[in-house]
Amino acid sequence: MDKKELEHLDKTLQSLDKSSNELVEKIQKNKQQIERDKKYISDNYYELSKDGVGNVNLLATYYNNLAELDDQLTGYEKEYNKLLKQKNSPYFARFDFKADGNESPEQIYLGLSTINDKDNIFVYDWRAPISSMYYDFGLGRGFYYVDRKATAGEIALKRQYKIENGILKSYFDTTLAIEDEILRDILSKNTSVKMKQIVSSIQKEQNQIVRSEEYDHLLVQGVAGSGKTSIALHRAAYLLYRHRKTLKSDDILIISPNNIFSSYIGDVLPELGEDNLIETTFAQIASVELRRSLQSREEMLDEIATNPKQDLLNEISFKSSFEYLDELLKFLNGDLAETFSPQTLKFITKVDDDGNILDQIEFPEEQTKKLFFDTFKNYSIDERIKKIAWQYSMFFTSSRHYNKEQNRGLRERFTKILYNFLPLNDIFKIYDVFLTRMGLKVNTKERVDYMDKGALLLIKHYLYGFSHDFSAKYLIIDECQDFSPVDLYIFKKLWPCPSILLGDINQCIEKCLPKDYNTRVAKLWGCEYMELGKTYRSTKQIAKFAHGMLGLKNIEYVNRDGNEPKLVKSSQDKLADEIANLIEEECKSYEHIAIICKCKKEAKALAKLLKGKLAYKFIENPEDYNNRILLTTCATAKGIEFDAVIIPYADKANYNNSLDRNILYVASTRALHKLFFISTETPSTFLKELEK
């Protein structure tokens, strides 16, 4: 073992210990000061409640100081926990870089965060500008940017480390950014119930997305297993580092597919030393704005999986199209807006004792029409009415000297009056009119269908704006192929902030998206479009089989071999035994195994067969995911990975059309190491490669 490497690790650990001890001391002093101040406030509450010199509220001052101390304490504790995480493995890589003009190279060690003393930087944060060269370059010329200024030079050495419990186990040199050997070692391990950080194995194409500064909006199309979600979370961590003075974790919003997925990704940012982001689902947003019960995505997918009526599939396809968005916007801006029919408004501002009018203000019908249909024609109805109401109320302020409170009351009054000039202002009835004009069936149930919530939200936003504040400074949309153009249009209206959208058009279960779909989404959103064509999750055999089902070509695979997917034939009465046997014999070393069914109805039927034969958990809540053997559906499992996947009822009768093929593809690509299909009748034609 290289003596200099051991010395560097020792110095790094000493620096870590020193910094940790200093933080412990600061934390203790801070806590003591908080306790002293709390006691002082308690003992002197009455005196402090009186105004001090210069009418200074001493009690408020003390409470403000307490709040500042508490924020300071939170910062110290966060920094301490970050250092604590690094003690096990302070760094994972090194490269030697000789900048042009320098006489000797600098040794750059990379870790989760910076470790330094007054004179030396022992470890650079993986997000630091100079660290980007580790991911982007092999040996030879390299460069990095700081505030758009490039520093170039020679990379003379690249080294990767395995450090456990503060002990250097091994290291080796490589000419690549991430050597296949290290990557294979990481990928060959069993998965856990939580997604992990991947800073030691970020690939060049992934790093370019993580660190992108050139574009405000990114759309990433990535094959299954290309690391899309990890990239999004590591990009969030990078942005929190890069813009740490202006951006906090709760400024970043991620729209997740479901709450189980949210739980699955919940450890990544804490592992990177950052707080978790604000997370929500589209269903949660729709629920609070529409105030009605909603059909879930899982329920909708169950409906088409168990009873795939062509009329329903056609309706879903149309409502998922850009044409549907265009027709809805045309209806709102045209037919609905044109129903606005104002009348002349007269306001008496002064009368004499006999009731005679001495002063009045009049807003003619034509004036309101001109403002609504000409001056503000490029705005939504909500914005048009707000602007007219503001303009009319300000006339009172300027000509009759109304104060702010009077002006506010007038604006509210004008707003109500102007809305009354719309003959139809109930969003649900408006949507019914639109559906009828499109020749579509009107929903007579109280519950909102899954495919309708985006359109209803768009109508509400156009007519009234939203009731809640969903503001964010950065937006992450995962599994964006599951959202319709109408949904994405709403997201764009809600969050005009910088964003990243990630998805895979091949993982859309309920519909088949056209080849130009991503191009049109990028145009709608104003995104820079990027593609990830290399898959890292599954073994080469599993990935090739899954992509072969869809006829996908030009996919790159990590050179990690494993067993071919296996087709097992069974009878219905032996199905449960067959599943139990596969888990016991072929998956005994695995920690996370999923039995993935086509839909919830199928899963519940299988649950009855498995009862008493297998210790499994049916996933319904996030905490259910913390079990070794899971029974779930394709819709719920999407975005998550497992050591082994078993797909039952893989019969021709059950999987026979293009949507069924999508389901098989998504379920298959959840598997890291082993994939099994069980057929109780004639196997699906999509599995013909496994019958050879």
Side-chain angles (χ1 to χ4, degrees):
M1 195 71 72
D2 190 322
K3 185 179 178 182
K4 289 184 179 179
E5 288 289 8
L6 294 173
E7 287 176 355
H8 183 81
L9 178 58
D10 187 52
K11 288 178 181 178
T12 302
L13 290 170
Q14 287 179 32
S15 179
L16 259 175
D17 287 336
K18 182 182 177 183
S19 298
S20 297
N21 291 335
E22 288 173 354
L23 281 168
V24 167
E25 189 175 335
K26 288 179 180 179
I27 289 169
Q28 289 174 343
K29 286 182 178 180
N30 195 287
K31 286 181 176 178
Q32 290 167 1
Q33 185 63 49
I34 288 173
E35 289 305 313
R36 283 196 295 269
D37 285 2
K38 283 182 176 178
K39 187 175 187 308
Y40 184 80
I41 291 172
S42 178
D43 293 344
N44 300 276
Y45 185 84
Y46 178 73
E47 291 299 321
L48 292 173
S49 298
K50 300 176 181 178
D51 286 342
V53 179
N55 292 324
V56 175
N57 189 319
L58 293 177
L59 185 62
T61 301
Y62 267 90
Y63 275 130
N64 286 336
N65 290 340
L66 266 180
E68 289 177 9
L69 284 169
D70 195 54
D71 287 343
Q72 196 176 58
L73 176 62
T74 300
Y76 289 152
E77 289 176 336
K78 182 179 177 180
E79 192 63 30
Y80 176 74
N81 289 330
K82 191 183 291 186
L83 293 178
L84 211 59
K85 289 177 186 295
Q86 263 186 284
K87 279 192 173 184
N88 176 57
S89 182
Y91 48 87
F92 57 85
R94 160 193 163 187
F95 65 94
D96 293 358
F97 177 65
K98 180 178 173 293
D100 293 345
N102 289 357
E103 293 183 1
S104 57
E106 182 182 0
Q107 296 176 353
I108 311 296
Y109 287 82
L110 274 62
L112 288 181
S113 61
T114 303
I115 302 172
N116 65 317
D117 57 23
K118 292 180 180 178
D119 302 313
N120 300 293
I121 299 177
F122 298 104
V123 179
Y124 284 83
D125 193 300
W126 68 277
R127 299 166 289 186
I130 197 170
S131 302
S132 65
M133 289 192 292
Y134 166 72
Y135 300 103
D136 288 342
F137 299 102
L139 298 183
R141 296 294 291 175
F143 57 86
Y144 67 96
Y145 287 94
V146 177
D147 296 329
R148 298 190 177 185
K149 183 180 178 182
T151 299
E154 292 288 328
I155 299 172
L157 177 142
K158 294 180 71 71
R159 183 167 287 175
Q160 296 170 327
Y161 301 89
K162 186 176 182 181
I163 302 173
E164 294 177 355
N165 299 319
I167 299 171
L168 180 59
K169 296 290 187 180
S170 63
Y171 64 84
F172 66 90
D173 296 343
T174 176
T175 60
L176 304 175
I178 306 293
E179 178 62 52
D180 267 0
E181 184 177 335
I182 279 230
L183 194 55
R184 282 197 301 268
D185 181 60
I186 293 169
L187 296 173
S188 63
K189 293 177 180 177
N190 288 347
T191 188
S192 67
V193 296
K194 296 282 189 177
M195 179 182 280
K196 300 294 183 183
Q197 55 88 1
I198 59 166
V199 293
S200 64
S201 61
I202 293 173
Q203 301 293 288
K204 180 179 180 179
E205 70 274 13
Q206 296 173 329
N207 185 55
Q208 289 171 349
I209 297 171
V210 168
R211 295 173 186 265
S212 176
E213 295 279 356
E214 190 175 353
Y215 307 102
D216 284 339
H217 305 288
L218 298 173
L219 171 60
V220 180
Q221 156 65 31
V223 296
S226 56
K228 296 182 293 295
T229 304
S230 288
I231 289 170
L233 296 173
H234 286 73
R235 176 159 177 76
Y238 171 78
L239 292 172
L240 290 169
Y241 172 88
R242 180 77 174 79
H243 305 285
R244 49 193 175 278
K245 292 182 180 179
T246 57
L247 191 67
K248 306 298 179 189
S249 292
D250 55 9
D251 292 326
I252 302 178
L253 175 68
I254 180 168
I255 300 186
S256 296
N258 52 55
N259 291 329
I260 292 167
F261 180 82
S262 299
S263 174
Y264 174 61
I265 65 174
D267 280 0
V268 175
L269 282 165
E271 278 188 357
L272 296 171
E274 301 292 350
D275 295 330
N276 264 322
L277 313 177
I278 303 297
E279 290 186 52
T280 189
T281 64
F282 191 27
Q284 289 169 332
I285 295 169
S287 180
V288 298
E289 284 296 326
L290 298 178
R291 297 183 182 180
R292 284 198 183 184
S293 63
L294 306 170
Q295 180 190 35
S296 70
R297 177 169 172 76
E298 288 74 15
E299 289 171 331
M300 183 269 288
L301 292 174
D302 269 9
E303 184 178 353
I304 64 173
T306 55
N307 188 19
K309 294 179 180 177
Q310 193 58 48
D311 286 351
L312 177 59
L313 295 176
N314 291 342
E315 181 181 322
I316 289 172
S317 180
F318 181 47
K319 290 180 178 179
S320 301
S321 68
F322 281 91
E323 289 70 27
Y324 189 71
L325 170 62
D326 292 342
E327 289 293 342
L328 182 54
L329 290 175
K330 193 187 301 180
F331 169 76
L332 295 175
N333 290 313
D335 292 352
L336 180 63
E338 286 167 8
T339 63
F340 183 74
S341 182
Q343 299 173 8
T344 296
L345 301 175
K346 295 180 180 180
F347 294 86
I348 297 171
T349 59
K350 191 175 181 180
V351 294
D352 61 19
D353 293 339
D354 297 324
N356 298 311
I357 297 173
L358 300 178
D359 183 44
Q360 74 174 11
I361 293 175
E362 182 176 304
F363 300 105
E365 171 189 334
E366 288 306 314
Q367 180 181 343
T368 305
K369 278 186 176 181
K370 183 173 177 57
L371 288 171
F372 188 89
F373 290 109
D374 295 333
T375 308
F376 303 129
K377 67 179 180 180
N378 293 324
Y379 295 93
S380 67
I381 288 177
D382 168 59
E383 291 169 309
R384 294 188 213 188
I385 286 176
K386 283 178 180 175
K387 288 179 180 295
I388 296 171
W390 180 85
Q391 187 166 312
Y392 283 0
S393 63
M394 286 303 294
F395 182 83
F396 279 83
T397 301
S398 60
S399 65
R400 301 299 188 270
H401 308 296
Y402 275 38
N403 59 35
K404 285 185 178 180
E405 188 174 339
Q406 289 173 312
N407 182 277
R408 189 183 305 113
L410 267 175
R411 268 183 298 171
E412 291 175 359
R413 186 178 174 190
F414 273 122
T415 299
K416 289 180 181 177
I417 292 170
L418 291 168
Y419 270 115
N420 286 332
F421 294 146
L422 286 166
L424 191 60
N425 50 32
D426 179 282
I427 63 170
F428 295 96
K429 290 180 180 178
I430 290 170
Y431 188 47
D432 288 348
V433 171
F434 172 71
L435 289 174
T436 301
R437 293 193 179 189
M438 289 293 102
L440 296 172
K441 184 176 63 176
V442 171
N443 181 15
T444 57
K445 304 186 292 291
E446 186 67 21
R447 186 180 70 166
V448 174
D449 284 341
Y450 175 81
M451 291 303 301
D452 290 335
K453 63 180 182 291
L456 285 165
L457 284 171
L458 178 50
I459 294 170
K460 181 178 182 184
H461 186 269
Y462 186 83
L463 198 61
Y464 296 111
F466 278 170
S467 311
H468 300 77
D469 179 14
F470 298 106
S471 59
K473 292 183 180 179
Y474 195 82
L475 177 68
I476 299 171
I477 302 178
D478 206 358
E479 303 288 353
C480 72
Q481 77 282 344
D482 290 346
F483 299 112
S484 72
V486 172
D487 302 338
L488 294 173
Y489 185 88
I490 278 292
F491 293 161
K492 185 65 175 172
K493 287 290 184 182
L494 279 176
W495 298 289
C497 59
S499 59
I500 183 168
L501 288 68
L502 309 104
D504 177 12
I505 59 173
N506 301 303
Q507 292 188 61
C508 192
I509 297 174
E510 74 277 15
K511 55 189 178 289
C512 293
L513 296 173
K515 291 181 179 180
D516 68 341
Y517 185 78
N518 282 325
T519 305
R520 297 185 71 175
V521 170
K523 185 178 179 181
L524 170 69
W525 200 274
C527 288
E528 176 66 14
Y529 178 50
M530 299 180 174
E531 290 188 1
L532 294 170
K534 189 171 183 178
T535 180
Y536 301 94
R537 177 187 296 136
S538 307
T539 63
K540 199 171 183 179
Q541 288 76 9
I542 292 173
K544 277 192 167 184
F545 169 76
H547 293 127
M549 274 197 292
L550 297 186
L552 300 180
K553 298 178 180 178
N554 302 319
I555 307 296
E556 292 183 65
Y557 305 95
V558 173
N559 191 22
R560 183 169 74 89
D561 285 323
N563 296 323
E564 294 286 347
K566 187 175 182 180
L567 173 61
V568 178
K569 295 184 179 180
S570 172
S571 59
Q572 174 65 21
D573 59 338
K574 295 288 185 180
L575 179 60
D577 293 326
E578 196 66 62
I579 292 173
N581 182 63
L582 284 174
I583 292 173
E584 184 179 342
E585 296 297 326
E586 302 208 41
C587 305
K588 56 187 174 185
S589 62
Y590 296 141
E591 298 173 7
H592 222 203
I593 303 157
I595 306 163
I596 302 181
C597 293
K598 185 177 180 180
C599 59
K600 189 171 282 188
K601 180 180 178 182
E602 182 179 286
K604 286 184 175 180
L606 182 58
K608 294 179 181 179
L609 296 178
L610 293 175
K611 192 173 182 181
K613 295 191 177 184
L614 202 62
Y616 70 92
K617 187 70 177 181
F618 189 88
I619 300 184
E620 292 184 287
N621 302 297
E623 57 270 19
D624 297 335
Y625 190 68
N626 301 327
N627 288 271
R628 178 172 178 257
I629 303 171
L630 298 167
L631 177 60
T632 186
T633 64
C634 177
T636 302
K638 200 155 97 165
I640 305 174
E641 59 187 30
F642 307 90
D643 292 317
V645 166
I646 299 171
I647 302 174
Y649 302 111
D651 306 316
K652 185 177 181 179
N654 201 26
Y655 291 98
N656 57 71
N657 58 43
S658 59
L659 298 183
D660 295 336
R661 183 177 57 187
N662 291 352
I663 293 172
L664 276 182
Y665 172 74
V666 172
S668 298
T669 53
R670 302 307 96 203
L672 273 80
H673 310 303
K674 286 192 176 182
L675 173 62
F676 304 96
F677 299 91
I678 304 179
S679 173
T680 57
E681 298 175 5
T682 303
S684 170
T685 54
F686 303 128
L687 307 178
K688 60 184 178 182
E689 289 295 318
L690 303 182
E691 293 189 89
K692 293 179 180 178

